[in-house]
Amino acid sequence: GHSTTLICLGAFILWIGFLAFNGGSELKVSGGSVYTVGVVIVNTIMANVGGGLTVLAIVYVREKRVSLLGSVNGTLGGMVAICAGCNVVEPWAALVIGVVAGATYYVWSNLMLHFKIDDPVDAVAVHLGCGFWGMLARPIFEKDGIIYSFSEAAWKRFGMNLGGELVIIAWTAGLCFPMFYALKRAGLLRVDEATELEGLDLKKHGEISYPVESNVVANVLILDSSELPDE
């Protein structure tokens, strides 16, 4: 969180990784697979763009500012959402999926803050929120999906995906809640407040990640030395 430059670099690496992740899932680039891989790559990029621009627009309209970090996570949310249907939807549908994913990310991110749940990298908003939407989006937008045929088979696929997601959530919560509750009761879930303020790097490793001296040197370039605090 201390460097937006490194965050953006990480996002670019993830973008390339998603292209390989989705496109590489075809396992070959020969014969008819060439077309499929091409569609997957285009759809992944379209969802990426839709998610990033949507968060950019929402933050600008609501907060009158341009959020770099929000846009980065919006692009990741778009790519997460398109994973389920990247090979079976049209590029326009991938863009729509990305746009909805961007809005979904924004809502989930603010819900986490509202309920004071610690998630510094917005992993829940990006992966749970946008991933949940992406699973529902496939049976809606795939070429024989709900918006094309409104058939019973398409609705069955929608129901199966929704049911599968609920089962995953129940399974995960059923395993994790007792474990984390036991850790909390044992006093092992969080460090004490003093350690939290001091920093885990110093407590656990005997070193600090960001020495105060580096900040002082930077401040000297701006402030007169007489204005620096005694500490």
Side-chain angles (χ1 to χ4, degrees):
H2 70 288
S3 172
T4 53
T5 304
L6 290 177
I7 290 173
C8 289
L9 174 61
F12 276 117
I13 294 172
L14 281 171
W15 294 353
I16 296 171
F18 262 102
L19 297 179
F21 175 65
N22 285 348
S25 295
E26 183 69 7
L27 300 182
K28 62 179 180 179
V29 186
S30 60
S33 295
V34 173
Y35 174 79
T36 302
V37 172
V39 169
V40 168
I41 296 297
V42 169
N43 284 343
T44 301
I45 294 173
M46 294 295 285
N48 174 332
V49 171
L53 291 180
T54 298
V55 176
L56 187 73
I58 292 175
V59 174
Y60 185 78
V61 170
R62 289 178 59 88
E63 305 176 24
K64 298 297 183 289
R65 67 186 181 90
V66 175
S67 173
L68 174 63
L69 300 182
S71 301
V72 164
N73 277 338
T75 62
L76 299 180
M79 290 189 290
V80 168
I82 197 59
C83 284
C86 59
N87 64 318
V88 293
V89 302
E90 297 287 348
W92 70 264
L95 181 63
V96 173
I97 292 171
V99 167
V100 177
T104 301
Y105 159 77
Y106 185 82
V107 171
W108 274 79
S109 178
N110 281 276
L111 282 175
M112 298 295 288
L113 293 174
H114 175 75
F115 290 109
K116 298 181 179 180
I117 299 174
D118 190 16
D119 184 18
V121 296
D122 270 340
V124 172
V126 170
H127 293 281
L128 175 57
C130 297
F132 196 97
W133 154 243
M135 285 286 289
L136 299 181
R138 171 171 177 147
I140 296 174
F141 289 99
E142 61 185 335
K143 295 173 184 178
D144 58 345
I146 292 173
I147 65 170
Y148 289 97
S149 64
F150 211 74
S151 64
E152 182 181 351
W155 279 105
K156 281 184 177 180
R157 291 195 297 274
F158 182 89
M160 287 188 290
N161 280 15
L162 176 60
E165 291 181 308
L166 296 178
V167 168
I168 291 170
I169 291 173
W171 172 265
T172 306
L175 288 177
C176 292
F177 181 80
M179 177 181 67
F180 285 115
Y181 182 76
L183 289 171
K184 180 179 179 180
R185 296 293 296 178
L188 300 174
L189 185 60
R190 297 195 65 159
V191 298
D192 59 89
E193 186 176 0
T195 301
E196 187 174 350
L197 292 173
E198 184 181 29
L200 286 171
D201 296 309
L202 183 61
K203 178 73 173 181
K204 297 295 184 182
H205 307 296
E207 298 174 336
I208 55 178
S209 296
Y210 312 108
V212 176
E213 290 79 6
S214 63
N215 293 328
V216 172
V217 170
N219 288 333
V220 169
L221 298 176
I222 303 173
L223 302 173
D224 181 78
S225 60
S226 63
E227 297 177 324
L228 291 174
D230 294 336
E231 292 86 345

